[in-house]
């Protein structure tokens, strides 16, 4: 989330705890820009710019610029950032999380290749380009979570270069293009036996680099990066990373060159920190801009879930008994689509996963509502089949394909046959913070007549178990969804919950379950920003009384009243508060002889995200995010981000309450703000949890608005504390036809005992799924691997979602890890197209609008994939595209390459094929060329009032080249290429490279 801008207000035990941690950190090694806001506290460098700050700033800027320049269904607003929403900040948080993990994971935190340390520049550059390739492939395949993971890794290494190298000390004022553009000129790296630094005996090191490493315009300039720690060993005379946490600083040459922070204790070149951070931010912006231009604005905005309305996700049992359920789903989908048609913004994602036994899927996913409705219309309830069915297999597919923060609606009347997938489904639901709601038209408590009617449609091999739906109830409970037992007669009305929960900007005010037979009392608070409050109650009520903030009451089961309207269907009570809704605390008292679930929702943009974190005690000071469930009984930080606050809206949040499953208060956690209210509708808050509870809990955030009115929001998913952790150490790319090993580490925070590991993936690539049993000692660890074999037919860009679940065999302790693996081509085409100038003509005069200039170009694919598309990105002129060279375009009687002076290529016609103007969508040119070596010809013509232009050209592998054109003389132009894959150097020589190169890579 956003970098803090306000000094913490520490009190009492927080001060003592901070001092203790700070002293401990003095004994720890550290490198890289600081990971996140907490790092500034630990290093006493309040104005340092962190990886988190730079990443968030760049994503926000490019996103807002994309919205501003798009012909959008998004509308326009002077407060675009307010409307970005919770899903946007969740997506940004995934990139930030992946970025920070490079400093915290044991497999990456000390590896110099990931941080541009110890002069491992060539390896780091290769890694950068691999991350770029994976990011582009994933976005184009619409595998957005995988893309965000790769982007975070790319940003971390890229940003570290400017802090750890001598680039800034050289006096450079622009970014180092060669890092992701191999055809750009490269500065040689100092050899191992070449000294780079002089001795420095103070905490601030000035001019400690040797002169040849500080020259900008010298042919003998060299690039170096500081050595860190004890591995690899620093040769004599080399630069250290430096700072009090770097052990190598004591070995000659003493001192260091890092610019990670503004603190001289940690950064010898602290005085250059802001310059390094500015360049790192500019480089991050450039990557995002190139990514947007490569994949297009639409996919770019989808990558960051910009204004993404809730996805509509159905998991549908299609056996013969499900006619009414399918009809109800159609009705609700049609109603939702109609309501969204009148609202600006994206229609959202529509996803359907059918299942029965033994078939599951295929997944149907679209953002076209008409296509979705047509698919639903074609869905038929056919066949019988014995209960149970393959429900969890379908839910797993839905979780894999749906965006985070979604809600999945499962329509079935059968119990699960594939209960062994429960752990994988649970892990995915919690990791993606996705609710799963079951609408069941079969109830073990229904009458004998009801069950008999269902039996006529569905056969059972044996008498049904009364708890056969317990796994459904468990999944809905832990994910914050509902399990509703209803009938075919009521399913149409019960399915109204789909519309209630998928409306835009829904927030949760109450989510609690009650097992008590006596009267239970629950309360929720409505603030002035909340509209359209609805309370859903599942189960069977004997009595229900609603009390308003003014103490007015209404017995909901017995009478109509002024407070709310009750709609009762089999298995569901839908209670709508009547306007005007009184702000303040509402109370509901209910009595039942069965299990009840209460869920209160309303319309509001103000919501929150959260995660648990611990102070890192390895190589980097900062808060390391806890993956999976937190460890019970230990101290941890709770980090929250409040989203949706308008820039002119003042609100303060004082504390959170950890609530048990029945709504009881478990712990009160005070919050401190890491920043003042943000200009970008986000505020980050941090609280110290003295001891993580030992029972499942959820989180209620409390605060007040500018008028002193209380605000409350509730998380719906349950947190399951545990005494075991699992960490994925590596996520290698997958190559078709090859196998890779994914390393993991298990940490036991309890006594010595046996554990089992279950591995699962959504594509069936796992060589062995387990479970495997193994002992782990008291407070010990276990490292293992899982083998994944990628078939030769796997598509590049596809993502394999791998879930690992560990269980203690003697207790309920368990935990999970989810990782995303990207399929990459075995031998990718990494060369961008070429774009060479054949002629520049200009008759520009002082009256610019009465004169023009033009550039004639030859477009060709240097690699083997062939040309794919082109676009006029900048410029107010026109691009005319030819399949054959026009003979009139020869220069002083000289023909175009491949033509004679008296005609075109073999006397072919040269009629132009298309014209492009600024704002036009990319033109598909793949069908214009018969082979990858065949070129195309283009002419750009513009008024002299506009002296430059930029054309983007892609090949079918996704590599991109920027052709920057100027109206000046050809000898004043030079070539600069941007390639999306970031691969090996591209030669611009060849038969089509006739004259001096016209292309100039646009520095963003």
């Amino acid at each position: 989330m956003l970098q803090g801008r306000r000094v913490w207000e520490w009190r009492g035990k927080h001060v003592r705890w901070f001092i203790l941690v700070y002293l401990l950190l003095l004994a720890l090694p550290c490198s890289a820009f600081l990971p996140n806001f907490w790092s500034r506290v630990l290093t006493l460098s309040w104005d340092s710019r962190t990886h988190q700050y730079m990443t968030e700033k760049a994503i926000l800027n490019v996103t807002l610029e994309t919205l501003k320049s798009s012909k959008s269904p998004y509308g326009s607003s002077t407060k675009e950032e307010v409307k970005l929403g919770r899903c946007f900040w969740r997506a940004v948080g995934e990139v930030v999380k992946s970025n920070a993990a490079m400093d915290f994971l044991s497999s990456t935190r000390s590896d110099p290749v990931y941080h541009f340390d110890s002069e491992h520049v060539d390896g780091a550059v290769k890694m950068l380009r691999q991350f770029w390739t994976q990011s582009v492939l994933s976005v184009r395949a619409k595998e957005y979570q995988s893309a965000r993971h790769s982007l975070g890794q790319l940003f971390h290494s890229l940003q570290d270069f400017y802090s750890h190298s001598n680039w800034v000390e050289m006096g450079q004022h622009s970014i180092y293009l060669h890092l992701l553009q191999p055809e750009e000129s490269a500065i040689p790296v100092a050899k191992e036996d070449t000294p780079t630094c002089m001795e420095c005996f103070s905490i601030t090191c000035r001019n400690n680099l040797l002169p040849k490493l500080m020259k900008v315009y010298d042919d003998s300039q060299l690039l170096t990066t500081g050595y860190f720690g004890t591995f690899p060993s620093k040769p004599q005379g080399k630069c250290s990373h430096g700072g009090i946490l770097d052990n190598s600083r004591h070995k000659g040459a003493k001192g260091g060159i890092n610019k990670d922070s503004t603190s001289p204790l940690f950064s010898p070149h602290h005085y250059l920190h802001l310059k390094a951070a500015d360049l790192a931010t500019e480089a991050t912006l450039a990557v995002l801009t190139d990514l947007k231009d490569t994949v297009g604005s639409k996919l770019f905005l989808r990558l960051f879930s910009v204004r993404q309305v809730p996805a509509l996700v159905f998991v549908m049992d299609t056996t013969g008994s499900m006619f009414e359920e399918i009809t109800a789903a159609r009705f609700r989908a049609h109603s939702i689509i109609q309501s969204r048609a009148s609202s600006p913004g994206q229609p959202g994602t529509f996803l359907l996963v059918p299942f029965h036994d033994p078939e599951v899927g295929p997944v149907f996913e679209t953002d076209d509502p008409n296509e979705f409705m047509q698919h639903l219309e074609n869905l038929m309830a056919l066949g019988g089949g014995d209960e149970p069915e393959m429900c969890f297999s379908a839910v797993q597919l839905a979780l894999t394909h749906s965006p985070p923060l979604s809600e999945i609606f499962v329509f079935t009347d059968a119990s699960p046959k594939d209960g062994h997938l429960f752990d994988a489904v649970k892990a995915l639901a919690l990791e993606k913070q996705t609710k799963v709601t079951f609408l069941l038209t079969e109830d073990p408590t229904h009458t004998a007549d009801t069950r008999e009617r269902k039996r006529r449609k569905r056969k059972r091999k044996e008498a049904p178990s009364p708890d056969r739906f317990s796994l459904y109830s468990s999944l809905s409970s832990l994910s914050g969804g509902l399990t509703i037992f209803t009938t075919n007669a009521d399913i149409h009305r019960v399915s109204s919950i789909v519309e209630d929960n998928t409306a835009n900007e829904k927030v949760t005010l109450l989510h609690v379950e009650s097992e008590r037979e006596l009267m239970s009392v629950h309360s929720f608070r409505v603030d002035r920003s909340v509209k359209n409050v609805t309370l859903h109650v599942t189960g069977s009520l004997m009595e229900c009384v609603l009390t308003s903030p003014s103490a007015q009451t209404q017995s909901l089961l017995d009478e109509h009243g002024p407070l709310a309207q009750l709609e009762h269907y089999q298995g569901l009570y839908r209670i709508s508060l009547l306007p005007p809704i009184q702000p303040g605390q509402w109370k509901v008292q209910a009595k039942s002889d069965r299990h009840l679930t209460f869920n209160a929702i309303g319309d509001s943009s103000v919501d929150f995200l959260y995660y648990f974190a611990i102070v890192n005690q390895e190589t980097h000071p900062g808060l390391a995010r806890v993956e999976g469930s937190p460890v019970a009984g230990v101290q941890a930080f709770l980090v929250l981000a409040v989203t949706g606050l308008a820039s002119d809206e003042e609100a303060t949040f004082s504390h959170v309450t950890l609530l048990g499953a029945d709504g009881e208060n478990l712990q009160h956690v005070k919050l401190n703000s890491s920043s003042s209210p943000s200009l970008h509708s986000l505020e980050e808050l941090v609280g110290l949890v003295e001891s993580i509870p030992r029972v499942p809990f959820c989180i209620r955030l409390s605060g007040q608005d500018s008028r002193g009115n209380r605000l409350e929001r509730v998380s719906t998913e349950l947190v399951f504390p545990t005494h075991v952790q699992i960490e994925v150490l590596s996520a290698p790319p997958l190559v078709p036809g090859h196998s890779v090993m994914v390393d993991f580490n298990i940490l036991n925070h309890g006594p010595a005992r046996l554990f089992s590991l279950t591995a699962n993936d959504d594509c069936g690539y796992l060589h062995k799924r387990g479970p495997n049993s193994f002992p782990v000692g008291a407070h010990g660890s276990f490292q293992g691997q899982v083998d994944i074999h990628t078939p030769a037919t796997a598509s590049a860009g596809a993502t394999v979602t791998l879930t690992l679940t560990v269980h203690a065999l003697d207790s309920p302790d368990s935990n999970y890890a989810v990782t995303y693996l990207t399929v990459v081509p075995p031998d990718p085409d990494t060369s961008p197209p070429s774009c060479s100038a054949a002629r520049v003509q200009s008759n520009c005069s002082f009256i610019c609008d009465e004169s023009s200039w033009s550039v004639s170009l030859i477009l060709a694919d240097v690699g083997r994939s062939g040309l794919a598309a082109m676009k006029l990105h900048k410029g107010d002129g026109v691009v005319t595209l030819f399949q054959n060279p026009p003979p009139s375009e020869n220069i002083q009687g000289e023909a175009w390459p491949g033509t004679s002076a008296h005609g075109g290529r073999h006397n072919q016609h040269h009629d132009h094929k298309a014209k492009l103007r600024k704002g036009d969508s990319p033109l598909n040119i793949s069908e214009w060329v018969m082979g990858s070596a065949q070129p195309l010809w283009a002419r750009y013509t513009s008024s002299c009032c506009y002296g430059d232009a930029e054309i983007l050209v892609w090949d079918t592998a996704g590599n991109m080249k920027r052709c920057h054109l100027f109206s000046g003389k050809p000898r004043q132009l030079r070539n600069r290429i941007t390639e999306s894959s970031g691969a090996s150097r591209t030669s611009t020589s060849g038969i089509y490279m006739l004259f001096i190169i016209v292309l100039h890579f646009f520095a963003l």
Side-chain angles (χ1 to χ4, degrees), residues 265 476 504 530 955:
L265 291 174
S476 66
N504 203 17
V530 178
D955 63 19

Side-chain angles (χ1 to χ4, degrees), residues 631-654:
V631 177
V634 304
Q635 194 176 73
F637 281 95
L638 178 61
V639 183
L640 299 96
V642 181
T643 64
L645 287 171
S647 57
D648 58 351
E649 183 177 357
E650 293 185 9
T652 58
F653 296 91
S654 56

Side-chain angles (χ1 to χ4, degrees), residues 284-339:
T284 308
L285 284 165
V287 169
L288 287 166
T289 302
D290 284 350
L291 181 63
K292 178 196 68 175
D293 292 336
T294 298
V295 303
S297 295
K298 181 179 178 180
L299 287 184
F300 181 84
L301 294 175
R302 291 294 293 272
L303 170 64
F304 292 108
S305 300
V306 176
R307 297 186 187 165
Q308 186 69 50
V309 298
L312 182 59
V313 187
F314 287 155
V315 173
M316 185 66 64
D317 186 341
T318 58
T319 48
S321 59
M322 294 296 295
F323 175 79
E324 290 87 353
E325 291 86 340
I326 293 174
T327 303
R330 288 180 187 142
F331 176 78
R332 293 303 166 188
H334 183 267
S335 180
I336 290 168
I337 289 168
Q338 289 295 107
S339 65

Side-chain angles (χ1 to χ4, degrees), residues 43-239:
T43 59
L44 301 180
S45 54
W46 310 106
D47 55 347
S48 293
R49 297 183 185 174
T50 65
H51 283 294
Q52 176 183 348
Y53 172 79
M54 292 183 287
T55 300
E56 288 173 344
K57 179 181 179 181
I59 293 174
L60 183 66
N61 286 351
V62 177
T63 298
L64 294 179
E65 183 61 33
T66 303
L67 282 173
K68 186 177 179 181
S69 61
S70 295
K71 295 178 181 176
S72 100
Y74 304 96
S76 59
S77 171
T78 57
K79 298 181 179 179
E80 297 283 2
E81 70 277 1
V82 176
K83 299 181 180 180
L84 291 174
R86 183 170 178 244
C87 292
F88 170 78
W89 290 112
R90 157 79 194 220
V92 173
E94 289 182 21
V95 180
V96 171
K97 164 186 162 183
S98 175
N99 187 323
M102 300 279 276
D103 281 340
F104 300 139
L105 285 175
S106 59
S107 57
T108 58
R109 62 192 176 210
S110 299
D111 189 335
V113 171
Y114 290 98
H115 306 283
F116 276 93
D117 286 335
S118 308
E119 296 185 326
H120 281 54
V121 175
D122 291 341
V125 167
K126 182 179 179 180
M127 186 71 69
L128 272 185
R129 295 169 187 171
Q130 177 179 311
F131 290 149
W132 171 255
T133 299
Q134 291 178 213
S135 299
V136 173
L137 285 172
S138 295
V139 175
R140 291 164 71 96
K142 299 184 180 180
E143 299 285 1
Y144 299 121
Q145 284 193 278
S146 178
R148 293 191 283 264
H149 178 72
S150 298
L151 271 181
Q153 294 176 306
L154 188 159
F155 290 156
H156 186 99
S157 296
L158 181 67
Q159 291 160 1
D160 272 357
F161 169 80
Y162 296 95
S163 173
H164 297 179
S165 72
N166 62 323
W167 183 260
V168 174
E169 287 83 350
M170 287 180 178
Q172 301 282 359
H173 299 291
S174 58
I175 61 176
Y176 187 27
L177 295 173
H178 177 73
L179 295 178
L180 283 168
Q181 301 165 30
E183 65 288 334
E184 284 291 335
S185 59
I187 298 176
V189 180
K191 295 181 179 179
E192 186 176 355
D193 59 353
T194 301
T196 55
C197 266
M198 298 179 286
E199 300 283 357
C200 171
F201 299 99
S202 64
I203 59 174
T204 298
C205 293
R206 297 182 184 273
N207 300 318
N208 60 322
L209 282 157
L210 293 176
K212 61 185 175 182
L213 286 101
M214 298 182 67
K215 298 178 180 178
V216 183
Y217 304 109
D218 193 314
D219 291 338
S220 64
Q221 61 185 348
L222 294 174
L223 193 65
T224 188
T225 64
Y227 280 74
F228 171 73
T230 58
F231 180 82
S233 178
K234 186 180 82 168
Q236 189 69 27
K238 288 292 187 180
C239 300

Side-chain angles (χ1 to χ4, degrees), residues 766-784:
L766 271 170
H767 183 65
K768 186 177 181 182
R769 295 177 179 271
N772 299 314
S773 298
F774 45 86
V776 184
H779 299 283
S781 64
F782 172 86
Q783 288 195 357

Side-chain angles (χ1 to χ4, degrees), residues 314-387:
F314 287 155
V315 173
M316 185 66 64
D317 186 341
T318 58
T319 48
S321 59
M322 294 296 295
F323 175 79
E324 290 87 353
E325 291 86 340
I326 293 174
T327 303
R330 288 180 187 142
F331 176 78
R332 293 303 166 188
H334 183 267
S335 180
I336 290 168
I337 289 168
Q338 289 295 107
S339 65
R340 291 182 180 180
S342 59
S343 303
Q346 296 188 67
T349 296
F350 299 90
L351 196 146
L352 174 67
V353 186
F355 74 94
H356 54 282
D357 184 15
E359 295 182 5
V360 178
V363 177
F364 180 78
E365 182 178 359
T366 181
D367 57 5
D368 185 330
N370 295 324
E371 284 185 3
F372 185 70
M373 280 307 306
Q374 185 60 51
H375 195 78
L376 271 179
E377 291 296 332
N378 296 334
L379 194 66
M380 303 295 292
L382 296 174
D386 298 326
E387 187 185 354

